[in-house]
Amino acid sequence: RGLREGAQIIIGTPGRLLDHLERGSLHLEGIKMVILDEADRMLDMGFRDDIEAILKRAPAERQTVFFSATLPPPIQQLIRRYARTPVNVRLESHQMTVPATEQIYYEVDRRSKLEVLCRLIDLQDIKYALIFCGTKMMVDELADHLAARGYSCDKLHGGISQVMRERVVAKFRKRGVEFLVATDVAARGLDVDDIEVVFNYDLPQDAEDYVHRIGRTGRAGRSGRAITF
């Protein structure tokens, strides 16, 4: 109804926008600006084909703006293809810290990460933890390894449907599983009390992601722990 009545600004996920384009309920002829917010995260979630399909349908005479915490090669390719004489504007922000959370790090060889993780869980008798990995593939691999070793775990990443993600979060919140392995994308807005430890199995891309991750523990006046490999 909103699209039929006309709008100055249309905000949507790539999949939903493409759906409206294909149904003819959205027309881009008059669009003056296309903004890709959190472009690197959208690519990580597998939206590249949808994004390209939308950009191809937008008028050639437009401004294209990419907001992105990082500029990996796929983003640079999109910029080269769809932006003309682009200007790079870099914003530096003051990072917050998380005082209620004890922060520990271990220098670990990549091949030893799984062993160190399991040893820490067993020695410290950890029963409720969130484990962050850098990619969907790593989340799948680690969740499979932990399950094979008898740990109660589930996984969360952008390749899992929204309905399934909500089901997994609800299960974790009710302590139906002890360990949740996730990417940053999936854990945005994850609000769960009593998480004992946040593990950074893979280092995050930037300081803001680190603060966001470790802020999942030590909530509501409680102390928490963050362990980074």
Side-chain angles (χ1 to χ4, degrees):
R1 192 187 308 125
L3 291 172
R4 274 201 305 273
E5 290 171 358
Q8 288 176 296
I9 301 170
I10 297 159
I11 305 169
T13 57
R16 179 58 61 211
L17 289 172
L18 202 54
D19 182 44
H20 280 290
L21 283 169
E22 285 167 357
R23 283 195 278 155
S25 48
L26 172 63
H27 303 281
L28 302 183
E29 292 82 14
I31 292 291
K32 297 284 190 288
M33 180 187 287
V34 177
I35 299 171
L36 274 75
D37 191 26
E38 303 212 21
D40 50 351
R41 296 190 187 283
M42 285 205 288
L43 290 191
D44 185 50
M45 291 174 79
F47 285 132
R48 177 167 185 151
D49 290 346
D50 290 356
I51 289 167
E52 294 219 42
I54 293 164
L55 289 173
K56 282 173 185 170
R57 296 192 191 197
E61 293 297 320
R62 66 164 194 270
Q63 183 177 21
T64 309
V65 183
F66 294 82
F67 286 103
S68 188
T70 58
L71 281 177
I75 296 280
Q76 293 175 30
Q77 288 166 15
L78 282 179
I79 292 169
R80 282 196 297 272
R81 190 173 302 169
Y82 295 104
R84 288 181 301 183
T85 60
V87 176
N88 186 10
V89 180
R90 185 175 178 83
L91 301 179
E92 296 291 348
S93 60
H94 296 289
Q95 304 299 341
M96 293 163 32
T97 186
V98 185
T101 300
E102 182 188 7
Q103 299 171 53
I104 305 150
Y105 75 90
Y106 293 92
E107 293 186 16
V108 182
D109 185 273
R110 175 163 287 281
R111 290 165 298 182
S112 306
K113 281 186 182 182
L114 179 63
E115 295 302 330
V116 174
L117 175 66
C118 295
R119 184 73 58 87
L120 286 169
I121 289 170
D122 295 344
L123 286 175
Q124 299 182 13
D125 196 27
I126 296 166
K127 296 294 185 194
Y128 200 40
L130 185 54
I131 305 167
F132 282 102
C133 295
T135 63
K136 292 182 283 189
M137 190 184 298
M138 198 61 239
V139 167
D140 287 337
E141 281 184 21
L142 181 57
D144 288 346
H145 283 311
L146 289 174
R149 290 175 177 232
Y151 294 99
S152 165
C153 70
D154 213 328
K155 61 188 178 183
L156 205 62
H157 59 59
I160 297 168
S161 71
Q162 185 62 36
V163 173
M164 197 63 208
R165 272 192 264 176
E166 286 169 8
R167 204 171 293 163
V168 169
V169 170
K171 188 177 172 185
F172 183 57
R173 197 171 274 135
K174 293 175 187 169
R175 291 194 175 228
V177 289
E178 294 180 342
F179 304 102
L180 183 61
V181 187
T183 58
D184 288 302
V185 172
R188 285 274 158 185
L190 181 65
D191 189 12
V192 179
D193 291 331
D194 301 328
I195 292 175
E196 292 174 51
V197 181
V198 167
F199 283 100
N200 291 306
Y201 193 82
D202 294 322
L203 280 168
Q205 300 244 16
D206 57 46
E208 195 173 332
D209 281 341
Y210 175 78
V211 171
H212 183 84
R213 285 183 182 187
I214 70 172
R216 305 298 99 196
T217 182
R219 298 165 77 85
R222 301 181 185 89
S223 61
R225 276 186 298 150
I227 297 174
T228 300
F229 294 164

